[in-house]
C-alpha cells in the first residue's frame, strides 16, 4: 500500500504518521507512531487511525543509535509488517530563514542552504535535517518536502520583523521570524468551523508546550508573534528562558567566563521551568509538587503568558478570542484557569465546568472574550502542504 510519510524528528525521538495519498477530502491519517529513547533504550510505538495500539516494541541501542537509524527502522517496520511503501515524505523543519517562505522540495542544494540555519535553531534544525540527508543519500528519487515553522509568519510588516539594529544585519537575515507556524496555520484553518464568530476577527493563539509561543491572528493571518530570531524569545518554556535582557548574557560571558557553546547550552537546556523550579521541565510534575519552587515556576509561566497577551492585544488593537493549544494548553485545566483569570481585564470570564471537562469553548456565555481549546495538528498541515506541492509540480509545464 502506498502512503505519504510525515516525519517530525527531534534529538532523541522521531514522530511519524502515515496518510493516504490525498483523495478529494484531503489526506486521511492511517497510522501514528513514535520511536523514542534513540541511542539509549529505543522503543517503537504505533497506533492506528482509531487510536488502537498496533505495536509497542523495544529495540537495542545498537540497532537504533541515531535519528537516521530510527527513521530507517520505522520505515522497515512499515514496509515489512504493514506493506506500506512511502511515495513521498513531508518533514517538519523549524527554520526556513529568509530564503524559504513556503514548502519546498528538497534536493542537495536546498539541504545545503537549510544547514546554514543550524546556529539559529540548534535544538531542532540538525535533527530535522538528519533524516532528510539520510533519505537523499539512500533514495535520491523519493520526493521529500520541507515544511517550515517560520513560513506562516513571513507576511509580517517590516515594523514587526525588524530589530532596532543596523539595516545591514537585517539584510543578512537577522530579523524576527516567529515559530510554531504549522500549528498556528492549522488553528487558523480550524477557526471558521469551530469558532466562526471570531474566525475573521482578532485572535491570540497560545501554543503552550515544552516549547511555547503566542501568535496574534487578524482574519486568520499572523501579524505578530512572541518568538523572534530564534526559538529562545518570548514565553518561558520547559528549558528555555524566553524573554531575557541581553545584558544577562553579557554578564555570564564577562563574569562567569561562559563562551558561546556554554551560553547556548545554558539557554536551550538549563533555563525555563527547569531552571526556575530546580525540579523539572514537565508541567505535570510541577503541578503535582508542593515545593515552593515548583509553584513559583508555574506562577511565572502564567504571568508571562498573560503579560504577552497584553502585548499581542495591543498589536491587534483589540481582542475577540483567545485559543489554547499544544500539550499544556490542551491538557492542563489548572494552568488554563490561572491564565484566564489574568485576562479578566480583556473581558475573559471562564466557565470552570467547561474548562474542567476540556470543552472546546471554555468561556461563559456572557464573556466578552471568547476562550477556546483547540487541539493542534502540525502533521496534518505537513501532509496537506506536501501533497499540494507535489501535485502542483506534477501539473506544472516542463
Amino acid at each position: 500500500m502506498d502512503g505519504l510519510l510525515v516525519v517530525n524528528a527531534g534529538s532523541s525521538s522521531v514522530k511519524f504518521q502515515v496518510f493516504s495519498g490525498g483523495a478529494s477530502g484531503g489526506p486521511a491519517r492511517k497510522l501514528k507512531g513514535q520511536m523514542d529513547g534513540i541511542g539509549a533504550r529505543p522503543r517503537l510505538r504505533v497506533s492506528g487511525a482509531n487510536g488502537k495500539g498496533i505495536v509497542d516494541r523495544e529495540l537495542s541501542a545498537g540497532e537504533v543509535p541515531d535519528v537516521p537509524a530510527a527513521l530507517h527502522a520505522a520505515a522497515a517496520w512499515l514496509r515489512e509488517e504493514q506493506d506500506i511503501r512511502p511515495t513521498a515524505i513531508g518533514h517538519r523543519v523549524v527554520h526556513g530563514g529568509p530564503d524559504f517562505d513556503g514548502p519546498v522540495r528538497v534536493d542537495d542544494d536546498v539541504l545545503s542552504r537549510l544547514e546554514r540555519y543550524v546556529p539559529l535553531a540548534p535544538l531542532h534544525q540538525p535533527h530535522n535535517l538528519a533524516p532528510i540527508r539520510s533519505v537523499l543519500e539512500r533514495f535520491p528519487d523519493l520526493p521529500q518536502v520541507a515544511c517550515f515553522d517560520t513560513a506562516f509568519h513571513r507576511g509580517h510588516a517590516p515594523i514587526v520583523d525588524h530589530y532596532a539594529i543596523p539595516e545591514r544585519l537585517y539584510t543578512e537575515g537577522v530579523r524576527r521570524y516567529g515559530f510554531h507556524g504549522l500549528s498556528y496555520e492549522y488553528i487558523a484553518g480550524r477557526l471558521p468551523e469551530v469558532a466562526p464568530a471570531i474566525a475573521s476577527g482578532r485572535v491570540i493563539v497560545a501554543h503552550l508546550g515544552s516549547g511555547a509561543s503566542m501568535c496574534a491572528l487578524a482574519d486568520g493571518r499572523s501579524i505578530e508573534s512572541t518568538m523572534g530570531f530564534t526559538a529562545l524569545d518570548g514565553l518561558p518554556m520547559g528549558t528555555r528562558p524566553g524573554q531575557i535582557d541581553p545584558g544577562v548574557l553579557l554578564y555570564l560571558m564577562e563574569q562567569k567566563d561562559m563562551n558561546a557553546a556554554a551560553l547556548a547550552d545554558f539557554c536551550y537546556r538549563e533555563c525555563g521551568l527547569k531552571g526556575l523550579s530546580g525540579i523539572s521541565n514537565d508541567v505535570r510534575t510541577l503541578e503535582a509538587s508542593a515545593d515552593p519552587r515548583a509553584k513559583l515556576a508555574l506562577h511565572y509561566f502564567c504571568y508571562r503568558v498573560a503579560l504577552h497577551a497584553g502585548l499581542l492585544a495591543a498589536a491587534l488593537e483589540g481582542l475577540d478570542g483567545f485559543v489554547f493549544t499544544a500539550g499544556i494548553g490542551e491538557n492542563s485545566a489548572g494552568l488554563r484557569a490561572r491564565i484566564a483569570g489574568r485576562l479578566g481585564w480583556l473581558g475573559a470570564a471562564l466557565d470552570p465546568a467547561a474548562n474542567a471537562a476540556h470543552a472546546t469553548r471554555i468561556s461563559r456565555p456572557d464573556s466578552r472574550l471568547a476562550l477556546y481549546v483547540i487541539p493542534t495538528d502540525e502533521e496534518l498541515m505537513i501532509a496537506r502542504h506536501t501533497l499540494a506541492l507535489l501535485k502542483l509540480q506534477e501539473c506544472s509545464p516542463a
Side-chain angles (χ1 to χ4, degrees):
M1 180 177 69
D2 294 338
L4 167 66
L5 179 62
V6 168
V7 175
N8 186 348
S11 59
S12 61
S13 68
V14 172
K15 298 177 183 178
F16 63 92
Q17 297 191 24
V18 176
F19 291 82
S20 63
S24 58
R29 186 177 288 104
K30 299 298 183 183
L31 295 173
K32 180 177 182 179
Q34 178 168 329
M35 180 82 76
D36 53 22
I38 295 171
R41 298 181 61 185
R43 183 179 180 185
L44 174 66
R45 289 176 287 177
V46 185
S47 58
N50 59 2
K52 185 177 180 181
I54 297 175
V55 66
D56 188 340
R57 181 180 302 168
E58 293 186 359
L59 295 89
S60 70
E63 290 178 282
V64 188
D66 53 28
V67 168
L71 180 59
H72 294 313
W77 179 84
L78 290 170
R79 181 177 62 254
E80 295 166 8
E81 300 193 29
Q82 299 295 310
D83 194 29
I84 293 175
R85 291 166 174 77
T87 55
I89 306 178
H91 297 267
R92 178 195 178 207
V93 177
V94 165
H95 217 305
D99 292 344
F100 300 103
D101 59 3
V104 62
R105 184 163 174 174
V106 183
D107 56 20
D108 289 329
D109 176 64
V110 169
L111 180 60
S112 177
R113 292 162 68 187
L114 292 175
E115 286 173 338
R116 298 206 302 262
Y117 309 132
V118 166
L120 308 188
L123 203 65
H124 303 90
Q125 197 88 347
H127 308 297
N128 297 159
L129 300 183
I132 298 177
R133 184 184 305 106
S134 181
V135 172
L136 267 178
E137 292 170 353
R138 295 190 180 200
F139 308 101
D141 295 327
L142 180 62
Q144 297 190 87
V145 174
C147 302
F148 303 103
D149 264 346
T150 51
F152 185 63
H153 306 293
R154 288 301 304 278
H156 286 175
I159 196 172
V160 174
D161 277 354
H162 276 72
Y163 288 107
I165 57 177
E167 181 68 15
R168 66 179 183 275
L169 291 171
Y170 179 85
T171 303
E172 292 175 15
V174 182
R175 60 186 72 174
R176 299 184 69 249
Y177 290 99
F179 296 88
H180 294 131
L182 291 164
S183 175
Y184 295 128
E185 184 178 9
Y186 177 79
I187 298 299
R190 286 280 288 149
L191 283 174
E193 178 183 350
V194 175
I198 63 170
S200 60
R202 302 160 299 182
V203 178
I204 293 174
V205 183
H207 179 105
L208 307 180
S210 180
S213 71
M214 296 162 68
C215 176
L217 297 179
D219 194 20
R221 295 177 297 104
S222 170
I223 68 159
E224 179 62 273
S225 170
T226 58
M227 279 184 170
F229 181 55
T230 70
L232 285 171
D233 201 7
L235 303 179
M237 296 166 245
T239 60
R240 287 170 267 172
Q243 184 181 32
I244 188 170
D245 184 341
V248 173
L249 305 184
L250 293 175
Y251 171 84
L252 294 175
M253 292 171 64
E254 295 169 355
Q255 303 300 320
K256 304 296 181 181
D257 295 323
M258 294 177 69
N259 60 20
L263 282 175
D265 188 67
F266 174 78
C267 290
Y268 279 100
R269 295 180 174 87
E270 297 300 326
C271 295
L273 298 178
K274 176 184 176 182
L276 269 175
S277 70
I279 298 170
S280 175
N281 64 323
D282 192 317
V283 163
R284 293 166 296 187
T285 300
L286 298 178
E287 287 185 307
S289 174
D291 192 307
R293 297 174 300 166
K295 296 183 182 301
L296 170 64
L298 295 176
H299 182 65
Y300 183 88
F301 180 77
C302 295
Y303 171 72
R304 287 285 161 177
V305 170
L307 204 65
H308 281 82
L311 179 152
L312 296 180
L316 290 165
E317 299 182 2
L319 193 60
D320 303 306
F322 190 99
V323 176
F324 294 92
T325 194
I328 298 170
E330 294 170 24
N331 296 298
S332 177
L335 291 196
R336 288 199 303 261
R338 294 169 70 168
I339 292 167
R342 289 186 168 273
L343 302 180
W345 69 279
L346 287 168
L350 184 73
D351 182 331
N355 183 46
H358 300 284
T360 299
R361 177 160 180 160
I362 59 171
S363 52
R364 296 201 316 249
D366 62 341
S367 179
R368 288 189 291 110
L369 179 64
L371 304 174
Y372 285 87
V373 180
I374 304 178
T376 193
D377 198 334
E378 294 162 305
E379 288 77 15
L380 180 57
M381 283 308 312
I382 295 170
R384 288 172 177 169
H385 281 310
T386 300
L387 291 172
L389 179 64
L390 295 178
K391 184 176 180 180
L392 179 65
Q393 292 183 342
E394 288 175 3
C395 296
S396 298

